[in-house]
Amino acid sequence: MKDPELELLIKQLETTRDMSIADFDGVIHALGFLRPDVETPLADRIGTSDQAILIADDAFPNWSIHIRGRANDRDGHWHCTLRENERRDSDAVIGAGRAPVLGQAILAAVLRLAMIQKK
């Protein structure tokens, strides 16, 4: 996969409310490319919040997962950041994602961070 393809996939995660199983297959493929060591669930479950958190934990163990959002806002507007050290602002990289669905915000943050680290 190339960076433009990954950017399009992240943009899709961050803007689409109802992703199809085929769309999540692309997420699984991207994770396999960026982080082949991470075990991914089937495409029909990867978009759930629980599975997305497990993927983030597997991909970046001991990193902090910060989630914020208001469930009553239109389309949720969930934000997720992955930080190596939550006590200081000296992280070399931070993964960030924003999406109308919580699981997709987490997956966008994971993909963005993995993409930065792969470079």
Side-chain angles (χ1 to χ4, degrees), residues 59-76:
F60 303 103
N62 299 319
W63 282 55
S64 297
I65 302 170
H66 296 270
I67 298 169
R68 61 187 164 89
R70 292 176 45 136
N72 62 346
D73 280 350
R74 186 170 183 217
D75 292 330

Side-chain angles (χ1 to χ4, degrees), residues 49 52-53 56 65 67 80 82 97 101-111:
S49 302
I53 288 173
I65 302 170
I67 298 169
C80 175
L82 300 172
V101 178
L102 178 56
Q104 291 173 210
I106 297 166
L107 291 171
V110 168
L111 288 178

Side-chain angles (χ1 to χ4, degrees), residues 7 24-25 73:
E7 288 292 341
F24 283 119
D25 272 338
D73 280 350

